Amino acid sequence: MSAIVKVDGVSKKYQKILAINNLSFSVQKGEIFGIVGPDGSGKTTLIKLLAGIIKPTSGRIFIMGFDLTNDYTRIKPFIGYLSQNFSHYLDLTVEENLEFFAEIHKVRHYRRRMELLLEFANLKNFRKTLISNLSGGMKQKLALISSLIYDPDILLLDEPTTGVDPVSRREFWFLLNSLVLDGKTIIFTTPYLDEAERFNRVMMLENGNILVCDSPGKIVSDFDFLVLEIICSELNRARDILQNFGEVQVFGDRLNLIFKGDPTNYQVKIIETLKRNDIEVFNYELVRPTLENVFFYLLKKKQQ
């Protein structure tokens, strides 16, 4: 595969705030490249830079071999951009919305493509429906196919599944995988680390810096730590008690203790310590590290 997007030493400052700090990476043609991180990590700023909406303070971005700053007009037809706050015209129907986007992008003879996109997104039966009457998932699918009406090679999607129900998220991902099979390249930002498993490669951002960038499997396999998952009473007190044993991460109703060493002796000491402090232990087991474990470990290490 060849690089279709190349970012070379890019930084972006807003007055005194450094939102993106000297990032360098590339995206290969035909892959789903994920950018994950918490709010304020720089995800939206980066996607806007790639879309050419804002210019970098320093560094260069190349898309399909062209310099984005100097050759934006030439590159623009190859980019489809779905913003975090996609503006739907609620008084338009689904069909009218697609017609509108086709016309503002000066697409001629779009009828056949519009029919294919409506069928692709399973919105054909809703073509005459006002956008205000669509579900959140349907609106996101409409936003996606609106960005596809002029058939771009690269899709830039800024948190497209945020606030979308699980079924609609699954349908949305089915559409994205179909687009990749059709030769599209997708750059996708998300705060959801569980979605990162779906990416060909994932870049984890924190305060505009890259924590790690690789395939999800490689990131996890390189994580040379054991994870002991514990379900117990009084999670917050248990977390404080276990701080001396390693990094403790809380996920819902359970603790993940990140550690190195002999797991057998370690487990015995940990469970005995909890019981000695009147913490009831319901279950514990060694589990495979997840991307969440890696991300929060690297995040804490970076902040120390």
Side-chain angles (χ1 to χ4, degrees):
M1 292 190 294
S2 58
I4 196 169
V5 175
K6 184 179 179 182
V7 176
D8 186 11
V10 167
S11 295
K12 179 63 181 178
K13 276 188 177 180
Y14 295 104
Q15 296 180 348
K16 294 182 179 180
I17 298 173
L18 184 61
I20 294 295
N21 182 25
N22 194 31
L23 297 193
S24 295
F25 64 93
S26 61
V27 179
Q28 306 303 311
K29 180 176 173 57
E31 74 173 335
I32 302 180
F33 185 87
I35 303 167
V36 302
D39 291 343
S41 60
K43 300 188 303 295
T44 294
T45 296
L46 180 54
I47 211 86
K48 285 182 177 179
L49 286 166
L50 294 173
I53 295 170
I54 56 176
K55 293 182 179 180
T57 305
S58 60
R60 301 172 74 186
I61 299 172
F62 299 92
I63 295 185
M64 302 181 76
F66 298 105
D67 187 302
L68 181 58
T69 301
N70 298 328
D71 297 301
Y72 178 70
T73 304
R74 184 180 295 184
I75 296 169
K76 186 178 178 181
F78 298 106
I79 299 174
Y81 171 58
L82 174 54
S83 71
Q84 194 176 98
N85 300 306
F86 182 84
S87 298
H88 294 285
Y89 294 90
L90 300 181
D91 56 342
L92 296 180
T93 65
V94 168
E95 186 176 64
E96 288 169 340
N97 184 83
L98 288 171
E99 290 172 345
F100 171 74
F101 273 88
E103 289 170 6
I104 64 172
H105 286 286
K106 299 179 181 178
V107 180
R108 297 182 179 180
H109 314 298
Y110 57 81
R111 289 288 169 184
R112 172 63 179 159
R113 179 156 184 79
M114 183 173 72
E115 294 301 320
L116 290 173
L117 289 172
L118 286 169
E119 187 171 352
F120 171 67
N122 201 23
L123 291 174
K124 209 164 188 176
N125 293 334
F126 298 91
R127 63 190 309 144
K128 299 298 183 183
T129 302
L130 288 175
I131 295 174
S132 58
N133 294 328
L134 296 177
S135 68
M138 287 181 177
K139 286 177 182 176
Q140 286 302 83
K141 289 195 291 185
L142 175 59
L144 177 63
I145 63 173
S146 296
S147 67
L148 290 169
I149 194 68
Y150 54 98
D151 199 22
D153 292 274
I154 303 166
L155 284 173
L156 305 174
L157 310 179
D158 192 12
E159 299 193 12
T161 56
T162 299
V164 175
D165 66 88
V167 173
S168 296
R169 281 174 71 185
R170 193 179 308 119
E171 291 176 350
F172 196 86
W173 271 102
F174 177 79
L175 296 181
L176 295 185
N177 288 325
S178 299
L179 290 170
V180 169
L181 291 174
D182 196 37
K184 305 297 182 191
T185 302
I186 298 172
I187 301 177
F188 185 117
T189 73
T190 180
Y192 302 133
L193 284 161
D194 62 319
E195 281 192 322
E197 300 281 357
R198 299 174 179 267
F199 300 135
N200 297 114
R201 285 188 302 137
V202 58
M203 183 170 71
M204 296 180 176
L205 280 186
E206 189 270 333
N207 282 340
N209 294 283
I210 298 174
L211 289 176
V212 66
C213 182
D214 214 323
S215 69
K218 185 70 163 53
I219 290 172
V220 171
S221 66
D222 285 349
F223 188 63
D224 188 25
F225 289 86
L226 298 171
V227 179
L228 180 64
E229 186 165 271
I230 305 169
I231 302 175
C232 62
S233 63
E234 300 185 68
L235 283 181
N236 290 334
R237 194 159 72 86
R239 178 193 58 198
D240 294 339
I241 290 168
L242 296 178
Q243 293 292 339
N244 292 332
F245 286 91
E247 181 180 335
V248 186
Q249 301 172 351
V250 180
F251 297 105
D253 64 345
R254 60 202 62 207
L255 299 173
N256 278 185
L257 181 62
I258 314 299
F259 69 96
K260 283 187 175 183
D262 179 5
T264 304
N265 292 334
Y266 220 70
Q267 288 179 71
V268 171
K269 290 180 181 178
I270 289 164
I271 302 308
E272 285 180 349
T273 300
L274 290 174
K275 290 180 177 178
R276 195 165 54 245
N277 285 273
D278 297 322
I279 301 289
E280 187 175 1
V281 178
F282 304 117
N283 189 48
Y284 63 94
E285 62 177 325
L286 286 172
V287 297
R288 177 179 176 269
T290 66
L291 279 172
E292 285 184 303
N293 294 134
V294 179
F295 177 76
F296 288 116
Y297 177 84
L298 293 174
L299 187 62
K300 186 174 180 179
K301 188 176 179 181
K302 180 78 173 179
Q303 293 171 346
Q304 286 176 343

